[in-house]
Amino acid sequence: MTGAEPSVLRLTEGGDPVELPLPDAVGEALAISGAVDAVRTGGGYWSIAPRWKVGALRVGPLELWLRPKVPIERVLFLLGYANNRGWRADHLPFDPAPDLLPALADAYVRQAERALAGGLLQGYRTIDDEQTVLRGRLRTTDQLTARHGIAIPLLVRYDEHTVDIAENRLLRAATEVLLRLPGVGRGTRRRLRHLRFVLGDITPLPAGAAPPTWRATRLNARYHEALWLAELLLARNSLHQRRGRVPLTGFLIDMAKVYEDFLGATLTAALHRHGGRVRLQDRHHLDERRRIIMRPDIVWYRDGHPAAVIDAKYKAEQPSGFPDADLYQLLAYATALNLPDGHLVYARGNATEAVHTVRHAGIHLHAHTLDLAAPPASLLAQVDALTARIAAVAGDAEQSGASEVAP
């Protein structure tokens, strides 16, 4: 991209880099943001290469939009499945915008308005306070240690029926986040301001504080979808800080992590139906002296022993000089776990299915793919079929006696 300094740059995750003129302060902030690879090329120009993160950033005068490769509704499905298997993004109405953040903001506003249509949810909150008369329960230990037995004021604890509860605080916090982010449409922003007004008596979440926890019940059922979206916005978080010499604001989602979480959740559920148990990021060692730590994405155990090792790969890792780094890593896992097979599961489009047999070792390295662009039912069917193949391979190994290993 050439010419005058741009105000908006739109890229697709994993796409080709673009070269454009940028102030050094903006380029440096992008370089350390983690959102893209930014490299100075000389003459005031920078090469900007998208990675595997999607969302929106405002860096000084530049707005950077990073679009996902798969449809927005599929991103929401992947995001929701790991944390809430009842989540059905295909049943969630939202604006079919080409960018993730406007679609997510629209979905949140719709669900928050629906949740609050019947008024603010009320509940009980435990309050620690100082009173001149006894209210609730006396905090005896605190009274004796902090007040040394002095009678007044009384240190008490009581339950107060209020609207200032975790559910409403989550909605207030998510509303504030969206009002700070770039690219939220004018109409959506106006509705967000109204939500903030409705939630005006709710205590704001302090900067950097962990979001309050809540529990799904029948009483807060009308809030569930809005709360899930609020947690998504707060957990993935927004960037609101200074990187280098310019301020940076935005919202980013790491699609590689989303894919890893989705695969971990779906394979855990599917492999349980074949018996045994699944551990994610379980700790193992490569060497006899147990100094080199390994954490495979997924290890399936049966009868107390590893039956399969599985690694999620959103993209094929091909650094210069090591074109098959994923296979080398999987070989290390299979060898250390004394397994005759290992499994890589790629997002389709980044690799092809194959089985590689290692010379002089006889270990089989299986490369599988999943089509993330497929509808949810089809995608889950692919996971079930993949699980059946992994279980069949493990069964063949057990019959041959090749998987008698120590955990």
Side-chain angles (χ1 to χ4, degrees):
M1 181 179 299
T2 60
E5 177 182 315
S7 58
V8 177
L9 176 62
R10 299 182 185 274
L11 301 173
T12 300
E13 59 158 323
D16 295 329
V18 298
E19 188 170 335
L20 68 160
L22 286 175
D24 283 348
V26 173
E28 290 164 1
L30 284 173
I32 61 177
S33 71
V36 294
D37 290 323
V39 178
R40 185 186 286 108
T41 57
Y45 279 76
W46 288 73
S47 173
I48 309 298
R51 303 171 70 178
W52 305 105
K53 294 185 179 180
V54 298
L57 287 177
R58 181 186 293 122
V59 187
L62 175 68
E63 281 193 9
L64 175 63
W65 290 85
L66 301 168
R67 293 177 171 174
K69 295 187 299 183
V70 298
I72 299 297
E73 60 269 24
R74 208 67 70 245
V75 177
L76 292 177
F77 173 76
L78 295 172
L79 282 166
Y81 194 91
N83 298 323
N84 181 355
R85 291 181 193 154
W87 177 257
R88 291 295 303 273
D90 51 328
H91 291 172
L92 179 69
F94 61 89
D95 180 22
D99 293 296
L100 177 63
L101 184 57
L104 194 57
D106 180 75
Y108 169 76
V109 165
R110 293 182 189 223
Q111 294 305 313
E113 289 174 340
R114 177 175 172 269
L116 299 177
L120 292 178
L121 186 69
Q122 294 187 339
Y124 286 96
R125 191 178 67 159
T126 300
I127 305 292
D128 287 341
D129 201 0
E130 297 181 359
Q131 298 281 336
T132 56
V133 296
L134 181 63
R135 179 181 181 185
R137 304 174 298 282
L138 181 67
R139 291 151 47 202
T140 305
T141 300
D142 292 340
Q143 190 75 36
L144 291 174
T145 57
R147 291 288 184 265
H148 306 291
I150 298 174
I152 301 296
L154 298 173
L155 301 183
V156 298
R157 176 171 294 151
Y158 56 91
D159 293 329
E160 182 179 62
H161 198 244
T162 177
V163 296
D164 198 13
I165 56 176
E167 290 89 337
N168 291 325
R169 294 190 72 196
L170 273 171
L171 296 188
R172 170 74 187 261
T175 299
E176 297 284 5
V177 163
L178 284 172
L179 282 169
R180 289 199 304 264
L181 295 179
V184 176
R186 183 177 302 174
T188 302
R189 196 173 294 277
R190 182 177 63 253
R191 293 161 70 184
L192 284 167
R193 285 195 292 267
H194 178 71
L195 286 174
R196 184 171 59 183
F197 173 79
V198 173
L199 295 162
D201 292 332
I202 307 304
T203 303
L205 191 67
T213 58
W214 65 284
R215 184 170 59 89
T217 67
R218 176 182 57 82
L219 296 177
N220 61 15
R222 63 186 167 98
Y223 270 52
H224 287 180
E225 287 81 5
L227 289 172
W228 184 86
L229 285 166
E231 285 188 319
L232 168 62
L233 288 161
L234 296 172
R236 301 292 164 173
N237 213 343
S238 63
L239 300 173
H240 189 64
Q241 54 194 297
R242 181 172 293 274
R243 295 291 183 98
R245 292 177 284 164
V246 298
L248 183 149
T249 302
F251 177 83
L252 292 175
I253 290 176
D254 187 335
M255 289 301 297
K257 183 64 167 60
V258 170
Y259 174 66
E260 180 183 313
D261 291 346
F262 168 78
L263 192 65
T266 52
L267 281 182
T268 295
L271 285 169
H272 277 163
R273 295 194 290 270
H274 291 268
R277 62 189 176 91
V278 174
R279 298 288 296 272
L280 305 179
Q281 299 290 327
D282 209 8
R283 181 186 175 108
H284 292 274
H285 295 87
L286 179 64
D287 61 318
E288 293 286 355
R289 300 184 69 177
R290 303 172 69 83
R291 292 182 175 179
I292 305 173
I293 297 172
M294 305 187 310
R295 292 189 181 275
D297 289 337
I298 303 166
V299 179
W300 179 36
Y301 297 88
R302 287 206 294 201
D303 299 324
H305 302 299
V309 61
I310 305 152
D311 217 33
K313 296 296 183 185
Y314 187 66
K315 60 182 179 65
E317 186 66 30
Q318 296 182 334
S320 176
F322 296 91
D324 300 300
D326 296 340
L327 296 173
Y328 300 151
Q329 182 183 35
L330 183 63
L331 175 60
Y333 291 161
T335 301
L337 295 175
N338 198 22
L339 288 169
D341 297 271
H343 302 270
L344 290 169
V345 186
Y346 289 100
R348 183 169 295 171
N350 296 305
T352 56
E353 297 206 353
V355 179
H356 308 279
T357 302
V358 181
R359 295 180 63 198
H360 310 305
I363 295 176
H364 306 291
L365 305 178
H366 304 256
H368 311 275
T369 64
L370 292 178
D371 183 6
L372 299 187
S378 175
L379 180 54
L380 294 177
Q382 292 178 56
V383 174
D384 286 340
L386 169 64
T387 305
R389 293 199 297 273
I390 292 172
V393 168
D396 291 343
E398 288 175 352
Q399 290 180 5
S400 68
S403 58
E404 295 178 0
V405 298

